[in-house]
Amino acid sequence: MDCDEEPGPVRRKRVATAPLIGALVVIGLVLVGAWSVARGSRESTGFPRRVPPAGEVTAQPVVLRSTPAPTSTPDASPPTPPTPPRSRQPVSRSSVLRPRPTQLPRPTPTPPPTPSGSAEAREVLRLTNTERATAGCRPLRLTSALDRAAQGHASDIVEHHYFEYDSEDGRTPADRMRAAGFAGDSTAENLAAGSRAAADAVDAWMSNGVDRGNLLNCSFTTLGVGYDSGRIRSRWDNGTWVVDLGR
């Protein structure tokens, strides 16, 4: 170039700024992404979080517990009704059980009275009533008061070895019956000794006129029997019988 040329106007070169801005944006995005990753990794590894200072109110999450809705499944059977809630009130029997109708008891026939006394007394009663039925008299029944009187006299005559209607102390058969509790107005007594069988004693009485008349007296209604297996006299066999009758 020649030095004598005239200088022209100076022009500034334009610098391309668009590529530079784009590069800065890309770098910024990369930095933001790296910061987010670093933060997430710090929270997941259990680094301590920020503790709010005293007085600062933080919002607590609200936890709701709900029962999932039942899913309907096709079923041909009818739905089961819900179970009623259990009552806490005390349950009385009257509120649970219905009273049953009252049934009147059926009348039962009254059984005939069972004769009391010992086996010997019942056998004498049976044999005597058989004889009375033949004579047309009503049957006798055993009475505890006459049983006591007859048994007492049977034991007494065996112990003291006498065979009489009156006791050795002077008491008559009627006295002994009243003392035993009998309140009847008529009494009679039969004695038998030397046999252990009731049939032998009844046969002996039926063979004697006075004793037979006592057994077949239709006015008498009650009977008492006493028996002692002892012996009154040495020449007699064992077995002593006393029968007291009354009305």
Side-chain angles (χ1 to χ4, degrees):
M1 175 180 299
D2 294 335
C3 294
D4 51 359
E5 290 181 0
E6 294 181 0
V10 181
R11 298 180 180 180
R12 295 182 180 177
K13 297 182 180 181
R14 294 182 179 179
V15 181
T17 61
L20 180 59
I21 294 175
L24 293 176
V25 170
V26 172
I27 293 172
L29 292 176
V30 171
L31 293 176
V32 171
W35 178 78
S36 299
V37 172
R39 182 180 180 183
S41 60
R42 183 176 59 182
E43 293 180 354
S44 63
T45 53
F47 287 104
R49 298 183 179 180
R50 173 180 175 270
V51 179
E56 181 178 349
V57 179
T58 59
Q60 298 293 331
V62 179
V63 180
L64 299 178
R65 179 174 296 177
S66 60
T67 303
T71 57
S72 59
T73 57
D75 192 358
S77 61
T80 304
T83 304
R86 186 184 299 272
S87 174
R88 296 182 181 273
Q89 297 294 332
V91 180
S92 62
R93 183 175 295 272
S94 60
S95 64
V96 176
L97 299 179
R98 296 181 179 179
R100 296 181 179 180
T102 304
Q103 297 181 355
L104 296 178
R106 296 180 180 180
T108 56
T110 303
T114 303
S116 59
S118 62
E120 293 82 6
R122 292 194 297 270
E123 181 64 10
V124 170
L125 177 68
R126 185 186 69 82
L127 295 172
T128 302
N129 283 335
T130 300
E131 297 292 344
R132 288 173 64 86
T134 303
C137 298
R138 293 177 299 173
L140 301 172
R141 56 185 177 85
L142 290 175
T143 304
S144 58
L146 294 182
D147 277 343
R148 288 192 297 270
Q151 185 61 50
H153 191 51
S155 300
D156 187 64
I157 60 179
V158 168
E159 181 181 359
H160 296 94
H161 303 286
Y162 70 97
F163 192 65
E164 300 293 339
Y165 293 107
D166 294 343
S167 303
E168 289 186 336
D169 59 3
R171 292 180 302 164
T172 66
D175 295 335
R176 294 191 299 268
M177 295 180 199
R178 283 192 295 268
F182 182 71
D185 57 357
S186 179
T187 60
E189 185 174 79
N190 288 351
L191 303 179
S195 177
R196 298 181 179 179
D200 292 343
V202 174
D203 287 344
W205 293 328
M206 293 298 295
S207 300
N208 182 280
V210 177
D211 294 336
R212 177 186 177 91
N214 290 336
L215 295 182
L216 300 183
N217 187 339
C218 293
S219 65
F220 288 135
T221 57
T222 58
L223 177 73
V225 179
Y227 172 74
D228 193 297
S229 59
R231 180 182 298 182
I232 297 178
R233 306 283 166 83
S234 59
R235 64 181 184 270
W236 294 351
D237 291 336
N238 291 55
T240 301
W241 300 85
V242 177
V243 166
D244 287 339
L245 299 102
R247 66 178 180 185

